[in-house]
Every structure is written in C-alpha cells, then in structure tokens.
Amino acid sequence: MSEATPLFAEHERLNAKMTDFAGYRMPVQYTGIVQEHQAVRECAGLFDVSHMAEIQVSGPKAKEFLQWVTVNDPARLYPGKAQYTMMCREDGGILDDLLLYCLNEELYMLVVNASNRKKIWDHLVSHARDRFQQAVDLADRSDQTALIAIQGPASEKILSSLVSFPSHSRSLSSISSFSFQVGRVAGETGVLVSTTGYTGEDGFELYIDTERSHPATIWQALLEAGKSEGLLPAGLGARDTLRLEAGLPLYGNDLNEDRTPIQAGLGWVVKLDRDPFIGSEALEKEKKSGPDRKLIGFETGDPKQIPRAGYPLLDESDREIGRVTSGTASPTLGSGIGMGYLPADRCVAGETIRIGIRKRIVEATITPLPFYKKSTQ
C-alpha cells in the first residue's frame, strides 16, 4: 500500500489528481499539466517532493566514506555547499543519481531517488561494514523529512517574504547555486533552504524536519504569498515535462544500472583526478576509449507526434538501433521531444532519426540538450 506524504491532506484539499509513485500517493496535477508547466516557466510553481529519500552520513570518516561510494568529489564541499553526484557499480553502471549536502565536516545528507531508497541504503550499509568497519554512522531520515520545491522566476520574491536566517547578512539572493542556508520559513524553524531544483528554472528546495516543524504551514503560506505572482501548485506531470525540456535525466528511464555516467553525457560529474572510488577503473577506461552508446535528445517538430518511452528508434532502413527513454509534448517548444540511447557514431546533432510511434514512422531531428534554457534577463 502506498504511503502518504506529510502534505497529503493539502493535495486532497486542492482536489489534486493523485497517483501511486515510488511507493507514495503523489499529485499528478491540480489545474492541468500545461497550465502548471507554464506557471513555472513564467512565474512560479510549488511542488511536494517529500517522496525523495534523505540519508545522513556522519562521523570522523564520513567524507572518506563518501569519497569511496560517490563519483564526484566530496572533498570539494564545505558546510553550506551541495553537489550533484552518482553512485555506481564496479562496472560503472549507475545505481542512482543524487544530491550530496555538507552540513558540517562530519555530517552529510544524501538525497536519493525514492525508488532507490532501499537499494542505496543496503549499498551504504554494506560498504560501511565491509570497508570502513562501522567507522561511519548512517541514518535514514526520509520518514522525518518533508521536501517542498518552489521553482520559477518569481520564486525568490515569493519566498523572501517568508524566510529569515540567523545571520542578518544572509538573504536568498546571497545563496549561490548548489548552496544552502538553514533558517525560518513562515515561522517554522530549522528549514534547510537550498538553491537546487529539477525544472531548468531558478528556485529553491525546502527540507523540513517534521519532528520540529509543520510542512503544511509552510505549504499554505507559500501558496498565499504567491497568489499575486501567479504561483500554482504543480504535480508530477509538470515536473516531468519541465525536467525533460531542461534535458535532465530521470532514474529508471534515462539512467539505470546498465548505463554509465559517460554514456549519459554526465561525464563531468565523474572526478577521476582523486583517490579511487567504486567504478573508477571502469569509468576511466570508458572515458579514454569513448562510450559505445550515448544519450541524445530529439525533436519531432509536431506536438502531436509524441515519442513515448519504449518506442523504437530506427535507422534509415527502419532497423531498430535504440529506444526512447523519455518523451513528451513540450508546452514551451510546441514540439514532441524525447531522449534515448543510440550507437555513438549515430549521435550527430542535426541528423535525422526515425521513431516508430504506434503504427507510423515519424522523423525527428537529433538536438543538443537541453531543449530549453531559462532566460538570463
């Protein structure tokens, strides 16, 4: 049976359309996917992402442990900074893509995809026991943590009216990308305010300890403060169209244990100029030789020609050479867009790829990712 997030009652109150996702009852949409998508691009959207898993790693050897189990470089972190990273198998296959937060020099937080919570927990426990002889402490704080994301160009203005930090010199605008500060939001204490997100827009993610603060109070306050700015609650439907326009991969679709960061075009995450880590030997070899397949983006040019996940990617002779891993109709671009893996020698921007969409074969153009970039004005 699916679990309810701490904000489930709020979604019911707003008459959200709900679905089962990664073991949770989650909102798909409130007013409509396109309307919610456009709100994020033009003003702001509010997401409940409390299904994500939060695992704390602590102790004198916490950083050394994280150096071993993740592919980025935790040594570059300091209190108040976060990084996008991955955990891989010995052969380079991706176990999960995640965020790593440095709370202090001996305390870190991993934010893990909900569907991988048990797998990653077991992976961490195994390596803590076998390689580090229990010299690090692990704590799964997922059930005690709510996570709210406010995303879009008006998100800073909306959140600023509700947030305060212990240091008066601190403000939302002073928190740089992939950084965070702990403060009060809507009077609730101990909220970690992070400049991260999954939409391609500026915004913030709010980590709330449910044992000391009330997520619903923050959710309601944000909706009220954002009314005049056009803020809308947004569900998983808009979250998916937004992240795909921004070229952001989804674990289980675009990333899995049979794919490596190099194949996924995420080689920049892998830091090989440091001590070895799980998968480093295989990834170094692949980086030198080049991957045999690559994740590419493509556009059909027609919003009615939607390349759904699982549809075949075909060569000029209509032989299958790959599969769509993610696809949608882009509200911003007015086109069908998607991602999938092709043989490396076929991944040429501007070239044509054919897609089997139902009983038709549709042509699409290979397009550099991301499909959409936010305005810098």
Side-chain angles (χ1 to χ4, degrees), residues 53 110 149 330:
L110 292 164
S330 164

Side-chain angles (χ1 to χ4, degrees), residues 270-316:
V270 181
K271 302 300 189 292
L272 294 168
D273 56 345
R274 64 175 182 87
D275 291 340
F277 52 85
I278 301 172
S280 59
E281 184 176 343
L283 291 171
E284 185 168 23
K285 187 179 298 184
E286 184 180 35
K287 209 164 190 175
K288 287 179 179 177
S289 64
D292 59 346
R293 300 183 74 81
K294 293 181 181 179
L295 183 67
I296 53 101
F298 43 83
E299 288 189 59
T300 65
D302 185 341
K304 293 181 180 179
Q305 296 176 341
I306 306 173
R308 302 292 186 190
Y311 286 176
L313 300 175
L314 310 168
D315 66 10
E316 57 277 359

Side-chain angles (χ1 to χ4, degrees), residues 35-51:
Q35 189 176 354
E36 293 163 23
H37 178 109
Q38 290 173 335
V40 175
R41 290 281 180 249
E42 296 168 8
C43 42
L46 192 65
F47 299 85
D48 175 14
V49 279
S50 302
H51 62 299

Side-chain angles (χ1 to χ4, degrees), residues 125-178:
V125 168
S126 172
H127 285 279
R129 179 189 64 234
D130 298 341
R131 187 179 177 89
F132 285 80
Q133 288 76 51
Q134 310 291 3
V136 294
D137 293 319
L138 302 172
D140 187 340
R141 295 288 301 169
S142 308
D143 294 338
Q144 293 78 39
T145 306
L147 178 54
I148 295 173
I150 179 169
Q151 298 281 298
S155 56
E156 182 177 331
K157 182 178 179 181
I158 295 166
L159 185 57
S160 289
S161 66
L162 300 172
V163 70
S164 62
F165 298 114
S167 171
H168 295 299
S169 63
R170 282 286 185 182
S171 66
L172 288 180
S173 59
S174 70
I175 306 176
S176 60
S177 180
F178 275 77

